[in-house]
Amino acid sequence: MSSDTLFWKIYAGLAGAVTTLVAQKAVSLLWRTVTGDDEPPVSEDLEVSTGKALSWMVASGIGVAASQLLVSRAIRRQQLNRSVSH
């Protein structure tokens, strides 16, 4: 594996981890703003309705997946631009 390939793999991994954390925080904030709840529901809590637990699962899943998609595409563009310029 070349050092350039290794760099992009490490860069993508770190960017993905940071993006996931930021996306989770953003979706939690959006959830609290929209629902007025203090915290997002805990799916394992049987006092939380199944509908609310599923809503949280879908919202958080879409938020994290969308952020991962956007970051991975941005990194790929950077990688291609860098390889073209060299």
Side-chain angles (χ1 to χ4, degrees):
M1 180 180 311
S2 72
S3 62
D4 196 48
T5 302
L6 181 60
F7 166 78
W8 286 108
K9 286 185 181 240
I10 291 171
Y11 181 60
L14 290 173
V18 170
T19 300
T20 299
L21 293 172
V22 170
Q24 288 173 338
K25 294 289 185 187
V27 172
S28 292
L29 177 62
L30 183 61
W31 178 270
R32 288 193 299 271
T33 302
V34 170
T35 65
D37 293 346
D38 290 337
E39 294 292 325
V42 176
S43 301
E44 296 83 21
D45 184 353
L46 295 179
E47 292 183 18
V48 172
S49 71
T50 302
K52 190 175 241 186
L54 284 171
S55 296
W56 169 245
M57 178 200 66
V58 168
S60 62
I62 289 172
V64 170
S67 66
Q68 290 291 324
L69 172 78
L70 294 172
V71 166
S72 67
R73 291 174 62 94
I75 289 171
R76 184 66 180 144
R77 276 191 206 98
Q78 287 178 348
Q79 185 180 18
L80 290 173
N81 287 340
R82 185 174 170 158
S83 68
V84 168
S85 66
H86 283 122

